[in-house]
Every structure is written in C-alpha cells, then in structure tokens.
Amino acid sequence: MSSSTQKLALRNALIEKIGGYMTAHSLGVAAELGIADLIKDEVRDVAELATEGKLHEPSLRRLLRTLAAVGITTEPEPGRFALTEVGAQLRSDSPDSLRAFSRMFCHPLLVNSWQALGHSVTTGELAFDHVHGADFYSYLATQEETSALFNEAMGEESRIAAGQLAAGYDFSDAKKVVDLGGGDGTLLAAILTTRHELRGIVFDSASGVAEAPDVLKRAGVDDRAEVVAGDFFQDIPADGDLYIIKSVFQDWNDEDARALLRSCRAQIPASATLLIVGSVLPETASPEQPIAFFTDLNMLVNSGGRERTESEFRAMLDETGFTVESVGLRTAGPLSIIKAVPAAAAR
Ligand SMILES: C[S@@+](CC[C@H](N)C(=O)[O-])C[C@H]1O[C@@H](n2cnc3c(N)ncnc32)[C@H](O)[C@@H]1O
C-alpha cells in the first residue's frame, strides 16, 4: 500500500468513527418513524414508502441510502430498498426487535446528556443530572411514556440473555426466583416459561414494574409470578431462594453498589443464592467487548455507575458478606454470571 493510500485509509477510519453519531441518528429516526415496519421483508419502492409513512420522498431516499451504506438496508435497484438481517431488528414485529432500544438510546433524554460528556470528563459529575436537574431514575419516574419506552428497551436488550439463562442455568435447587430490578419482567417470563416448576417475583420501582404484569400475562406465566414494587436499597422480598440481579450493578457507584449488596445480604435468606448478571470488564481495554466500554461510559454520563472487572466484583462481594462460587464469563450472550452466596452459608 502506498503511503498516500495508507494515509487516506487512516483518515477515513477516523472520519467514519466521527460519523458514528450520524449513524445513530439515522437509525433512531428510522426506528422512530417505523420505516422497517413499512419495508418488512419486501423490496419496497421509496415513493410507496413515503406515501404510506407520510414522509418526504427525496429525504427518505437519502436516509435509506445512507442506511444502506452502513448495512441496515440494501438498494438492489435504484429507489428500491430492503432490510438486511441487521436492519430487520428494527421491525417491531420481530422476536429479536431492538426498535424500542434504538428509539430509547437515540431519545433526546439520552442524546442531550451525552452532549455533556465533556462536563463529566472534566468534573467527574453526572452529565444527566447536570442537564436534566435530577437523577436518571427519579426523572424517569416522572415521564410515564419515556419510562415505558425505557422498560421496553431493557426488555428487548434482555431477551437473548434471558433465553440463554433460562435454558442454560441449573435451577434444580430453586423454587422461587426473585429478579431484583427486574424491569418489565422479560427475564422472569423467560425463566418461568422454560421452568414450569418455578415461581417468581419481579421486583422493581413502581415505574420500573409498570409493564411487568402485561409481559408476564402475555407469556402465560402470571399465575406463578408476583410483581412487587419497592426500593431494593430498603426492602427486598425475603421469601426467594434464587435472587437474580441483571444489568443493574453498573447503574451504581461503588458506595451505592455496596449498599445494594448489603441490603441483599441483610434480607435474603442465608441459604439463598445471588446471581449477578452483567458485563465483566477485562483488566485492560480491548476492542473485543466494545459494548461493555460504551455501557461504562453511558453510566458515567447517565447514572453515575460503572462497569467492573472480575477482581472489583470479587472484592465488593467479599466486603459485603458474600462468597463468590463461580464467575461464568460470557455465559449469557455478551454477559457473565457471577454466582455468590451469603458468606456464612458458603458451600
Ligand atoms: C438497567 S435497568 C435493567 C432492567 C432489567 N434487569 C434488565 O436487565 O433488562 C435497571 C433497573 O433497576 C431498577 N431500579 C433502579 N433503582 C431501583 C431501586 N431503588 N429499587 C428497585 N429497582 C430499581 C430500574 O427501574 C430498572 O428497571
């Protein structure tokens, strides 16, 4: 490769990354406008799509072309578009839909706080609180529609891990599963659908569990599931034997994360098991798990929490009275499972 070709390749590599926010906005708008729901699994003429979606045809064509350039659509003939397999996940009727996830992460609520990333990096303060004047979950509790979107987005994000955990974890010692910070109940629904002998509780804040009764009913498991609203720093249902806490720890700074573990330690039975499901960061940064590093930065911006390494998890669990039994790396999709038990009951 000549040095000028190499130079151009290097420049383009950086320029494409800088354009990442344009990709995100293009995806967010496509998700918001329901464009994938119009295309479905056909090759559609842009003029028809514009009429059906009440959109401006020349601008829609430019959006769809740009999405073709990043692998979301294809343009097999000029002016006719289809979805790729990646793009098909923007359909709301797909079992693997990430439409709500795309809408949520491109929502002004999060885009505006990300614009203040520099504030966080300069001061260490939370961008979200700086921009919106309240912490993430308190603010969300006042925004019914956005809260429902957030819960749906989290449910979509959880679906694959939920299926894998439900099918792959050995539940033989469990009778009652409590999903702490369980949101819309997607994970518990997957577990109860696979394990007919189990009962369960979805525990979350009032706004967090708002959609859970419907999700559990649609899954046909509502007769074995309870939905409990509360604050996991204060009150944790004491009658479970397997407690799962998925994609929750990263929301909290070390002090709050320790407080949450102490709350668990004080309230779950001594014979219970705690499963922490989430990302475990490698000790040094690598491009293998980019999502975990973006999540970490997202926590710097939006919740004040952080992702953690295995040794950080182990130290925190040890300090709060738990014994780690195993760390199953990447056993639930890109997520890991840390299995811990109250220290006195270590087995
Ligand atoms: C990132 S979401 C994860 C939801 C779900 N576990 C999942 O994996 O999709 C974190 C959850 O923690 C809940 N949460 C935050 N603060 C809480 C509190 N004090 N008590 C109970 N739940 C809380 C939120 O409402 C939200 O549903």
Side-chain angles (χ1 to χ4, degrees), residues 136-137 140 147 150-151 153-159 179-187 203-209 228-235 244-252 260 277 299 335:
F136 182 75
Y137 286 112
L140 209 55
S147 174
F150 176 77
N151 294 334
M154 292 301 100
E156 285 183 353
E157 190 269 332
S158 283
R159 220 168 279 155
D179 188 8
L180 296 171
D184 78 351
T186 296
L187 175 59
F203 181 89
D204 205 299
S205 64
S207 58
V209 290
V228 179
D231 175 357
F232 49 37
F233 290 106
Q234 307 290 333
D235 276 316
I244 302 181
I245 183 154
K246 177 188 161 295
S247 304
V248 165
F249 256 86
Q250 81 278 2
D251 271 342
W252 304 99
L260 177 50
V277 184
M299 297 305 135
L335 305 180

Side-chain angles (χ1 to χ4, degrees), residues 60-239:
L60 176 62
R61 184 170 183 185
R62 290 163 72 176
L63 175 70
L64 289 173
R65 275 194 325 207
T66 306
L67 288 173
V70 292
I72 303 299
T73 58
T74 57
E75 189 179 15
E77 297 163 51
R80 291 175 63 75
F81 292 91
L83 296 169
T84 62
E85 270 186 84
V86 176
Q89 298 170 105
L90 291 176
R91 286 175 64 169
S92 17
D93 62 353
S94 160
D96 306 315
S97 182
L98 286 171
R99 182 178 174 212
F101 188 87
S102 310
R103 291 176 60 213
M104 184 69 230
F105 277 86
C106 298
H107 192 284
L109 188 72
L110 299 187
V111 171
N112 291 344
S113 51
W114 264 88
Q115 275 186 329
L117 169 64
H119 177 77
S120 292
V121 174
T122 312
T123 63
E125 290 172 12
L126 257 162
F128 187 95
D129 300 29
H130 177 67
V131 171
H132 299 291
D135 70 83
F136 182 75
Y137 286 112
S138 306
Y139 189 87
L140 209 55
T142 66
Q143 311 285 315
E144 206 176 311
E145 223 175 281
T146 316
S147 174
L149 178 63
F150 176 77
N151 294 334
E152 191 185 352
M154 292 301 100
E156 285 183 353
E157 190 269 332
S158 283
R159 220 168 279 155
I160 298 280
Q164 290 186 348
L165 185 73
Y169 182 76
D170 178 6
F171 288 92
S172 50
D173 288 341
K175 288 191 176 60
K176 193 167 198 175
V177 178
V178 182
D179 188 8
L180 296 171
D184 78 351
T186 296
L187 175 59
L188 186 68
I191 293 171
L192 297 189
T193 303
T194 318
R195 309 284 166 158
H196 299 273
E197 71 285 9
L198 293 177
R199 305 186 66 79
I201 298 177
V202 181
F203 181 89
D204 205 299
S205 64
S207 58
V209 290
E211 285 72 36
D214 281 351
V215 169
L216 295 163
K217 198 169 177 31
R218 276 204 304 275
V221 297
D222 51 319
D223 56 331
R224 288 181 285 127
E226 282 168 70
V227 175
V228 179
D231 175 357
F232 49 37
F233 290 106
Q234 307 290 333
D235 276 316
I236 288 179
D239 56 342

